[in-house]
C-alpha cells in the first residue's frame, strides 16, 4: 500500500480505538513521523491531507522545512541538544522533548531574542529506564515549578515513550500514569503553563495511549514504512 492508503488505515484504527473507549476521535491529533524519509514522501502525506509532521533530528526538520509548504506544522519529537535550539525555533510548532533546565534556559534565551513564545511539552521518563531521556516522574513537580519562571516558554502538556516490548496492559499503565501526572501538574495552575496535550503512543502501542487519554499520537512506520538508516562502515 502507498502512503495515502496507509494514512487511511491508521486514521480508521485511531477512530476505532477512540470509539472503543467512548472518546471523540476529533480530540486526537495524528502526527506523521517522517524521520529518515525524504521530503517527497512528506509531500505524498501532505497531498493526502496531513499537516502535522514529526522529526527526531533538528537537521532533518530544517532541511525538509524548506522543501514543503509553509502550512506544515513541524513537531520536534526527539532529544534536543542546546546547541541546536537556534536552528529550530522559527520553524517548529511544538517541541515535545523539553527535559532539562539547561535546555529550558536556552529556549528561553532564543525565544526572547526572537520576540516569540515557544510552545513545548515536557518529556517524562515514566518507566524509569536509564537509557531514556525525560524528567524522572519523582522530580516532575520541582521541574515544572522551575520552568514556569520562563516567560518565553509555554508548556502545553506532557510527552512520554513506553517500552517497545511491553504488553498492552503494561503500555496502558505507563500512559495512565502520564495522564495522572498531567492532571497533577494542571491542577497547580502554574504560570506559563496551558496544559492541553498528552503526546503518547506510536505505531506499536497507540491503542493503549488512546484509551489512556492521548491527544497526540506519533506514527511513523505504519504510515511511511520501515525506516532506512545509513549503513555504518
Amino acid at each position: 500500500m502507498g502512503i495515502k492508503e496507509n494514512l487511511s488505515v491508521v486514521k480508521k484504527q485511531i477512530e476505532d480505538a477512540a470509539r472503543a473507549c467512548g472518546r471523540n476521535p476529533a480530540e486526537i491529533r495524528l502526527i506523521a513521523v517522517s524521520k529518515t524519509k525524504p521530503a517527497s514522501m512528506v509531500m505524498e502525506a501532505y497531498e493526502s491531507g496531513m499537516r502535522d509532521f514529526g522529526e527526531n533530528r533538528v537537521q532533518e526538520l530544517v532541511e525538509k522545512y524548506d522543501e514543503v509548504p509553509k502550512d506544515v506544522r513541524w513537531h520536534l519529537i526527539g532529544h534536543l541538544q542546546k546547541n541546536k535550539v537556534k536552528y529550530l525555533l522559527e520553524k517548529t510548532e511544538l517541541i515535545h522533548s523539553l527535559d532539562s533546565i539547561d535546555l529550558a534556559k536556552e529556549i528561553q534565551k532564543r525565544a526572547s531574542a526572537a520576540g516569540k513564545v515557544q510552545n513545548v511539552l515536557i518529556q517524562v521518563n515514566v518507566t524509569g529506564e536509564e537509557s531514556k531521556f525525560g524528567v524522572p516522574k519523582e522530580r516532575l513537580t520541582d521541574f515544572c515549578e522551575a520552568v514556569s519562571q520562563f516567560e518565553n516558554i509555554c508548556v502545553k502538556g506532557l510527552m512520554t515513550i513506553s517500552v517497545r516490548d511491553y504488553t498492552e496492559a503494561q503500555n496502558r499503565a505507563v500512559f495512565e500514569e502520564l495522564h495522572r501526572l498531567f492532571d497533577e501538574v494542571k491542577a497547580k495552575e502554574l504560570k506559563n503553563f496551558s496544559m492541553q496535550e498528552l503526546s503518547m503512543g506510536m505505531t506499536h502501542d497507540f491503542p493503549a495511549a488512546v484509551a489512556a487519554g492521548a491527544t497526540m499520537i506519533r506514527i511513523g512506520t505504519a504510515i511511511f514504512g520501515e525506516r532506512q538508516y545509513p549503513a555504518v562502515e
Side-chain angles (χ1 to χ4, degrees), residues 86-101:
K86 59 180 178 267
Y87 304 114
L88 194 68
L89 289 200
E90 296 301 313
K91 298 177 170 65
T92 308
E93 172 92 358
L94 184 63
I95 295 168
H96 289 230
S97 50
L98 176 62
D99 62 356
S100 75
I101 295 301

Side-chain angles (χ1 to χ4, degrees), residues 76 78-80 95-107 120-124 133-135 140 143 147 150 153-155 157 159 193:
L76 194 281
H79 180 63
L80 177 57
I95 295 168
H96 289 230
S97 50
L98 176 62
D99 62 356
S100 75
I101 295 301
D102 282 348
L103 178 58
K105 286 177 180 175
E106 183 67 16
I107 294 171
V120 305
L121 304 180
I122 293 171
Q123 182 172 353
V124 185
F133 293 108
V135 179
L140 182 61
F143 184 82
V147 171
F150 296 117
I153 293 175
C154 181
V155 177
M159 180 272 253
F193 276 58

